[in-house]
Amino acid sequence: MSATKKKNQANVAAPERRRELLDTAAEVFAAQGYNATTVRKIADAAGMLAGSLYYHFDSKESMLDEILSTFLTELWEGYDTVLAAGLGPRETIEALVTESFREIDRHRAAVAIYQKESRHLTDLPRFQYLADSQRRFEKAWLGTLERGVGDGVFRADLDVRLTYRFVRDTVWVAASWYRPGGRHSPEEIARQYLSMVLDGIAVRL
């Protein structure tokens, strides 16, 4: 095999291997926490020498950055599509919740990291985009809830900020127990969740 052909094959394999390593790093970060995780621990989980990991990434911070930025980029692609669709307030909430559970399905470990680590990571210049994303997130959800109250779709006495915090926390905490490929699809979990949030759990008389 020629040197050129070998190089081309390596270039094709590199992105896939990089993705595998990031998936492994995400699981280790989620389980052990960012500060407690060393490059050696990630390398051990990936079945390679720590020095070999530096062939793909210059630091564990770079790995975390790519994990979180990839997750948030995809999340906002889905959210922006929902917000631009011109749906009513209730339908927008339903679509945002469904999209959130789909992201948990795709990026469960990244969501868990975001939940646990984002508060102190925002103190680091490299992770300022986490704070920006949080502000966008809050604006999208609060704006939709306020629109629903104004349109008479949601109760007039609804505390929109308290409702936002409840919905936000109860959706994203699912990353702590959800496992891809389980009994229920993300869409089914979202449907059940929305039924409880929007319609309650008591039998209607």
Side-chain angles (χ1 to χ4, degrees), residues 141-142 145-146 149 157-165:
W141 286 83
L142 285 177
L145 290 168
E146 289 168 351
V149 172
D157 64 340
L158 191 71
D159 185 321
V160 293
R161 186 163 292 275
L162 182 61
T163 303
Y164 155 68
R165 289 173 176 167

Side-chain angles (χ1 to χ4, degrees), residues 61-70 72-73 76 114 121-122 124-136:
E61 186 178 85
S62 293
M63 285 184 272
L64 183 64
D65 184 10
E66 191 163 339
I67 290 165
L68 291 177
S69 62
T70 298
L72 288 173
T73 295
W76 278 107
Y114 182 82
L121 285 174
T122 53
L124 303 175
R126 185 168 189 165
F127 293 97
Q128 279 299 302
Y129 64 85
L130 297 178
D132 295 337
S133 182
Q134 182 57 44
R135 285 189 287 269
R136 288 179 65 193

Side-chain angles (χ1 to χ4, degrees), residues 98-160:
T98 301
E99 188 61 36
S100 298
F101 277 107
R102 287 173 178 155
E103 287 305 309
I104 292 172
D105 182 63
R106 298 182 188 115
H107 300 288
R108 184 203 62 80
V111 173
I113 297 166
Y114 182 82
Q115 289 290 95
K116 296 176 184 176
E117 309 283 357
S118 60
R119 181 171 296 180
H120 70 263
L121 285 174
T122 53
D123 294 333
L124 303 175
R126 185 168 189 165
F127 293 97
Q128 279 299 302
Y129 64 85
L130 297 178
D132 295 337
S133 182
Q134 182 57 44
R135 285 189 287 269
R136 288 179 65 193
F137 191 85
E138 183 172 310
K139 181 180 179 181
W141 286 83
L142 285 177
T144 303
L145 290 168
E146 289 168 351
R147 182 161 59 96
V149 172
D151 291 352
V153 175
F154 302 140
R155 297 196 327 257
D157 64 340
L158 191 71
D159 185 321
V160 293

Side-chain angles (χ1 to χ4, degrees), residues 5 11-12 45 81 85 87 100 108 142 156 176 187 200 203:
K5 189 172 183 179
N11 289 338
V12 170
T81 298
L87 302 173
S100 298
R108 184 203 62 80
L142 285 177
S176 66
E187 292 78 12
V203 175

